[in-house]
Amino acid sequence: GIQVTPVVNGANADVNVIGYFTGLTGEEVVKYVVKDGETVIAETTVKAADGKADFVIENAHLWNGLKDPFLYTLEATLLDGDRELDSRTVRFGCRFFEIDPEKGFLLNGKEYPLRGVSRHQDRWGIGNALLPEHHREDAELIREVGATTIRLAHYQHAQYFYDLCDEFGFVLWAEIPYISN
């Protein structure tokens, strides 16, 4: 797995990356590449046993909800010498938020009204075994009704839907993955 944590710091974003790997012999490295579209803006190679890297994105393009859901791309490639063992691509947005008792929800320092829906990941006849096209259809319908936010009801939803929400510009409320004993 790859964990990407961007923290907006003035005009820049400090990006912390942690790679989680199993079955390592100790010689492997991981190459991290951060892209803005097709342009490489940062890269480094670290020992996979540690898996940690830090980047600074100067003059970061902020993810701004429905108005501008801009995403950067992190490519992680696990290498043993010149041999590629595995790779993952993760898209992420740089943003910050706060909740003010007078102004409500603030996204990147500006008021951002939260109008939303609650979503169960299920459908008649297939339960929660949704296909990517079902997730996309749900996101498109939610966007069509004018929602800016989605509460993901009761459990962890498919990673594909989280990614779609970043792409569409939805603010998410995700429940912890616990619903019963």
Side-chain angles (χ1 to χ4, degrees):
I2 304 294
Q3 176 182 324
V4 181
T5 307
V7 176
V8 176
N9 184 6
N12 301 333
D14 300 323
V15 181
N16 175 261
V17 179
I18 303 173
Y20 299 93
F21 308 99
T22 59
L24 299 176
T25 65
E27 300 301 314
E28 299 88 352
V29 297
V30 59
K31 180 179 180 182
Y32 294 120
V33 177
V34 178
K35 292 183 173 182
D36 175 350
E38 293 300 315
T39 303
V40 173
I41 57 173
E43 62 183 302
T44 192
T45 301
V46 299
K47 288 228 168 247
D50 178 41
K52 297 178 182 175
D54 293 300
F55 301 97
V56 174
I57 299 175
E58 295 184 7
N59 298 308
H61 186 154
L62 297 183
W63 182 94
N64 202 17
L66 296 178
K67 291 185 283 187
D68 186 11
F70 182 83
L71 298 172
Y72 289 95
T73 302
L74 173 89
E75 296 173 352
T77 307
L78 182 63
L79 300 163
D80 185 3
D82 291 333
R83 189 169 62 111
E84 182 178 319
L85 301 175
D86 200 357
S87 66
R88 293 287 182 266
T89 300
V90 178
R91 294 168 62 205
F92 66 96
C94 299
R95 59 215 172 212
F96 62 97
F97 70 91
E98 60 185 298
I99 299 172
D100 181 276
E102 301 299 321
K103 297 178 182 175
F105 184 81
L106 303 172
L107 178 61
N108 303 325
K110 297 180 181 161
E111 291 181 34
Y112 193 82
L114 297 179
R115 298 182 185 99
V117 300
S118 182
R119 177 189 188 249
H120 269 270
Q121 179 179 289
D122 59 3
R123 292 226 172 171
W124 178 256
I126 58 173
N128 65 5
L130 274 62
L131 298 172
E133 57 264 28
H134 300 131
H135 292 292
R136 181 167 287 280
E137 181 181 45
D138 284 356
E140 289 170 350
L141 289 169
I142 292 167
R143 180 173 56 192
E144 185 178 317
V145 300
T148 60
T149 187
I150 303 169
R151 173 185 173 250
L152 300 180
H154 302 318
Y155 43 78
Q156 186 173 2
H157 289 231
Q159 182 62 47
Y160 181 71
F161 193 75
Y162 288 89
D163 295 342
L164 277 176
C165 289
D166 275 344
E167 180 184 315
F168 278 55
F170 294 124
V171 173
L172 291 183
W173 173 303
E175 301 288 333
I176 61 170
Y178 177 80
I179 60 171
S180 65
N181 290 337

